[in-house]
Amino acid sequence: MEIIKTNILTKRFGSTVATDNISIHVNQGEIYGFLGLNGAGKTTLIRMLLGMIKPDSGTITLFGNELTPQFRQWNDIGYLVETPYSYPNLSVYENLKVIYKLRQQNNPKVIDEIIEKLKLTKYRNTKANALSLGNQQRLGLAKALIHKPKLLILDEPINGLDPEGIVEVRELLINLAENGSTIFLSSHILGEISKVANRIAIIHEGRLIKELTTKELSSQIIKKILVQTTDNQKAIQHLQNANYSVKPIETNEIEITNSEALEKPELISKLLTENGLPPKQIFLFTEDLEMYFLRTIKGNKL
Ligand SMILES: Nc1ncnc2c1ncn2[C@@H]1O[C@H](COP(=O)(O)OP(=O)(O)OP(=O)(O)O)[C@@H](O)[C@H]1O
């Protein structure tokens, strides 16, 4: 079932086209990563999904129902948009109690359950204004999750979290999706999104550039083996005789790109050693995810 569907969604601010004819869909149980540099249009799209701003043109369908003023399923959605806002003079527990009431919940146990889930137990009675940025973010996530929404929309959810917090939130999101929740999350960090999302959309200057599964993304990342020996010219001869595609590169290394070589780099080592040219250096180069991102954006600018 399609939980989110946008159809040629456009929003302008003066002469800036913040989102330009964006059509995407997100299926139930998916973690959908919405990836773009700062200013790409991520928050604008999220604010439209949440009915906070109106598109200039195009439509949004959530849970199969078009988003109009009559839309009634807000309680099925949890969200965290930009810096989470909390009541500064209320404690973590009191802040959550406000949301609990707003969400018309009727089992007070859920407040402490969510506090525990987000590892905020130690800060239960701490005022929001005394929390670290990371714990404010955890409180924001707790507020988004307290009513066990079917759809979770998160704008840069790992902002401010330390590495341990990032891993915890990643595991939490994966667990929620495994239990049937649908998660739409934005980020400008491709490495992070690729660890958690099933599908990824790349947005740049308001336009959807690419939509692909995380598997497809991994197959599009450039990988190669780089070898250095005491006599690269001789080494190239031996490698070519064994049917490897090789070429010398400026860094005094040999580049090998065959998939067999990538799968079994030890065979390269063995071949060269047997021919009296043990590699001085051999390593598997994998394109940095940020490099992939920039390469994709460049390709679409032409
Ligand atoms: N209320 C507004 N008024 C004028 N321009 C806006 C407004 N909101 C967004 N924009 C512009 O629209 C474009 C997209 O902004 P948006 O905040 O959606 O990007 P983003 O991908 O979320 O980036 P960031 O991660 O920096 O928040 C930017 O050029 C931004 O300056």
Side-chain angles (χ1 to χ4, degrees):
M1 182 193 176
E2 279 179 358
I3 301 293
I4 299 179
K5 187 170 170 22
T6 74
N7 187 32
I8 49 173
L9 206 57
T10 296
K11 178 73 185 175
R12 292 186 193 85
F13 295 106
S15 59
T16 305
V17 189
T19 70
D20 190 355
N21 289 305
I22 300 261
S23 296
I24 54 166
H25 71 274
V26 181
N27 300 313
Q28 201 224 320
E30 258 185 339
I31 302 183
Y32 189 88
F34 200 54
L35 185 74
L37 302 174
N38 289 339
K42 305 180 295 294
T43 305
T44 301
L45 185 106
I46 285 182
R47 292 174 70 208
M48 286 192 281
L49 292 180
L50 293 168
M52 293 172 174
I53 51 172
K54 265 178 86 173
D56 292 317
S57 58
T59 54
I60 297 170
T61 310
L62 300 175
F63 308 107
N65 298 315
E66 192 171 332
L67 193 55
T68 64
Q70 283 72 45
F71 184 79
R72 287 286 170 267
Q73 276 179 273
W74 294 117
N75 247 354
D76 289 332
I77 303 174
Y79 65 88
L80 174 67
V81 182
E82 293 172 317
T83 316
Y85 174 78
S86 298
Y87 298 104
N89 287 313
L90 296 188
S91 69
V92 164
Y93 183 87
E94 289 161 342
N95 263 288
L96 287 167
K97 190 145 190 206
V98 172
I99 304 300
Y100 168 87
K101 283 189 181 154
L102 282 174
R103 291 294 191 184
Q104 297 162 347
Q105 299 297 292
N106 49 22
N107 175 12
K109 268 204 221 150
V110 296
I111 306 179
D112 276 313
E113 274 171 22
I114 201 73
I115 286 178
E116 201 173 313
K117 204 168 197 168
L118 271 302
K119 303 230 160 65
L120 284 166
T121 312
K122 236 168 72 184
Y123 308 98
R124 187 180 184 275
N125 301 316
T126 305
K127 283 187 180 173
N129 62 8
L131 293 175
S132 68
L133 192 61
N135 284 330
Q136 282 178 30
Q137 193 74 1
R138 284 169 195 263
L139 176 55
L141 282 166
K143 292 196 304 194
L145 285 166
I146 194 164
H147 57 299
K148 301 189 172 72
K150 292 180 186 154
L151 168 63
L152 196 54
I153 297 181
L154 306 171
D155 196 7
E156 308 262 2
I158 60 163
N159 264 3
L161 293 175
D162 57 18
E164 196 185 347
I166 292 174
V167 173
E168 280 165 18
V169 168
R170 194 188 297 151
E171 283 168 2
L172 175 73
L173 298 183
I174 291 171
N175 184 267
L176 287 167
E178 279 170 0
N179 285 297
S181 302
T182 306
I183 300 168
F184 181 99
L185 82 161
S186 82
S187 177
H188 62 283
I189 308 168
L190 180 51
E192 188 45 45
I193 284 242
S194 66
K195 284 196 187 102
V196 66
N198 316 110
R199 272 196 310 135
I200 297 176
I202 298 179
I203 177 176
H204 187 58
E205 292 174 353
R207 266 174 292 133
L208 181 69
I209 285 184
K210 213 169 231 194
E211 200 183 24
L212 73 180
T213 63
T214 311
K215 252 194 198 152
E216 285 165 343
L217 170 72
S218 129
S219 72
Q220 288 181 18
I221 299 280
I222 293 174
K223 292 183 194 116
K224 54 193 175 191
I225 287 183
L226 299 174
V227 194
Q228 208 173 43
T229 67
T230 46
D231 187 340
N232 282 352
Q233 236 169 347
K234 258 196 197 154
I236 287 175
Q237 273 303 316
H238 290 301
L239 289 164
Q240 277 175 339
N241 292 345
N243 290 326
Y244 285 111
S245 336
V246 282
K247 69 169 189 203
I249 53 170
E250 315 88 71
T251 48
N252 198 26
E253 284 165 315
I254 306 167
E255 180 185 290
I256 310 168
T257 47
N258 313 55
S259 55
E260 313 86 74
L262 293 166
E263 277 158 29
K264 293 194 171 164
E266 68 277 11
L267 293 184
I268 309 257
S269 250
K270 189 164 172 267
L271 177 88
L272 292 173
T273 308
E274 281 170 0
N275 286 285
L277 290 165
K280 280 183 7 193
Q281 194 172 287
I282 177 163
F283 79 98
L284 179 63
F285 168 88
T286 304
E287 184 182 30
D288 186 88
L289 291 167
E290 309 313 313
M291 280 160 76
Y292 169 81
F293 189 24
L294 295 175
R295 185 159 61 87
T296 306
I297 289 172
K298 245 194 205 157
N300 278 274
K301 260 197 172 161
L302 302 173

